[in-house]
Amino acid sequence: MTSFHLLFTLLLVPLLSSTSRVILVIGADDYNGFVYAGCSQPRYDAGSAYEYSVDSVLTSLTNAADFTSYANFSSPSPPLVSGLLQCRSDLPLSACDSCVRSALSQLSTLCPFAAGAAVQLRACFIRYGNDSFLGKPDNTLLYKKCSADQGSGGGGGPDGSVSFIGMRDAAVGSLVGGAYRVGGAGYVQAMSQCVGDLSAKACSDCVSTAAGQLKAACSSSASGEVYLGKCYARYWSYNGGYSPSHVGHGDQAGKTLAIIIGLMAGVALIIVFLSFIRRAGNGK
Ligand SMILES: *[C@@H]1O[C@H](CO)[C@@H](O)[C@H](O)[C@H]1NC(C)=O
Ligand SMILES: *[C@@H]1O[C@H](CO)[C@@H](O)[C@H](O)[C@H]1NC(C)=O
């Protein structure tokens, strides 16, 4: 019985942990999921030269997204309108392209005729306007969200929330240097992304501001995200499993893969169990 139990544990634990990791990596994000949008008060007139400038910048953004994760453009003729796109730099360009197209397609509904606008989806950010934002640091808070579920739940240790906050602070604190960063501590993972027009110094300044706001605002929430003008930082946790708020956004591929791995684990268990029964039978 003991050896069977040991075998069971040895087999099951790696399978289960690899399953939850796969869900985190693949199913953690709905890449085109909406985060926030902001529109300027001033509007331009239909058919104006300004509209022509906006259209030319947005067309350039559409065309750029399938070969680069960061690009900026300015209108070829006055009035001057600039635009940029920034995708999560770790994702394939196909995801970037799809995300930017989705963001652009929502612009006319979200911000009709706005002189300037920004849209943040999970995997990409687009912005255009005549307010010369290009190349300038911007640590203004635009969007912040902390999950209602607490990080200490789901079978945490005896010192539950204290150690959770320690892990969260370490995970978020490890987001330094580089336009795209991932970090982690214990069962908390974190990531950050800067817009490509920032210098390395401005980027790390922005991310540490975002990290500070995450720590201050989200206390012991299981997940949180802070979006500033030119960067964002997020963290999420999985207590031996994964946070429900995250799986809620899971994409179909992630779910399917998780089901397949679950089935494989089940089949493996049945085989182990059958061979155990057989060996037990032979022993008699
Ligand atoms: C930007 O464009 C809007 C709409 O045409 C206009 O009202 C505003 O004055 C412009 N701002 C600048 C800085 O040119
Ligand atoms: C904008 O794009 C141009 C051409 O790709 C590039 O040389 C420039 O560095 C970019 N500017 C900023 C502020 O990112």
Side-chain angles (χ1 to χ4, degrees):
M1 201 59 203
T2 313
S3 75
F4 174 67
H5 184 251
L6 183 66
L7 186 57
F8 183 89
T9 311
L10 285 178
L11 187 76
L12 195 61
V13 166
L15 277 174
L16 282 186
S17 60
S18 77
T19 307
S20 58
R21 203 146 302 151
V22 163
I23 290 170
L24 278 165
V25 171
I26 295 174
D29 276 322
D30 167 11
Y31 293 145
N32 295 357
F34 181 79
V35 181
Y36 72 83
C39 324
S40 71
Q41 281 292 352
R43 297 186 168 213
Y44 59 82
D45 296 324
S48 62
Y50 197 96
E51 179 173 53
Y52 182 80
S53 290
V54 171
D55 285 351
S56 81
V57 166
L58 299 185
T59 303
S60 302
L61 292 181
T62 315
N63 295 335
D66 60 359
F67 62 86
T68 179
S69 61
Y70 166 73
N72 75 77
F73 296 98
S74 293
S75 54
S77 53
L80 181 68
V81 172
S82 302
L84 61 77
L85 71 85
Q86 175 67 63
C87 289
R88 240 176 70 183
S89 349
D90 62 317
L91 295 180
L93 288 174
S94 57
C96 180
D97 189 37
S98 153
C99 185
V100 167
R101 279 168 196 278
S102 174
L104 287 168
S105 76
Q106 294 178 55
L107 259 183
S108 56
T109 322
L110 293 167
C111 301
F113 301 107
V119 179
Q120 174 79 58
L121 304 187
R122 279 281 165 229
C124 67
F125 172 73
I126 57 166
R127 179 170 173 179
Y128 74 87
N130 59 357
D131 51 348
S132 57
F133 58 92
L134 217 55
K136 289 192 186 141
D138 181 358
N139 293 356
T140 324
L141 176 65
L142 296 179
Y143 179 80
K144 178 178 72 183
K145 188 175 165 195
C146 306
S147 70
D149 50 326
Q150 299 295 297
S152 53
D159 51 352
S161 77
V162 171
S163 68
F164 173 79
I165 288 180
M167 280 185 272
R168 193 275 313 282
D169 288 358
V172 163
S174 68
L175 300 172
V176 284
Y180 170 78
R181 296 295 297 178
V182 288
Y187 52 77
V188 180
Q189 295 206 323
M191 63 149 291
S192 62
Q193 173 77 59
C194 288
V195 177
D197 62 341
L198 290 189
S199 68
K201 160 98 180 52
C203 173
S204 67
D205 188 46
C206 189
V207 170
S208 63
T209 304
Q213 299 207 6
L214 270 178
K215 291 185 217 173
C218 291
S219 69
S220 61
S221 286
S223 62
E225 49 197 331
V226 161
Y227 291 81
L228 307 184
K230 286 289 173 76
C231 75
Y232 65 87
R234 307 173 57 194
Y235 75 88
W236 60 95
S237 51
Y238 48 102
N239 289 359
Y242 35 83
S243 96
S245 62
H246 247 79
V247 169
H249 298 304
D251 63 9
Q252 209 46 50
K255 280 174 196 152
T256 310
L257 192 56
I259 289 168
I260 291 171
I261 289 175
L263 285 176
M264 281 164 58
V267 169
L269 276 178
I270 289 169
I271 292 170
V272 167
F273 187 64
L274 286 181
S275 70
F276 169 75
I277 300 267
R278 224 174 60 142
R279 231 178 301 146
N282 288 346
K284 274 183 192 163

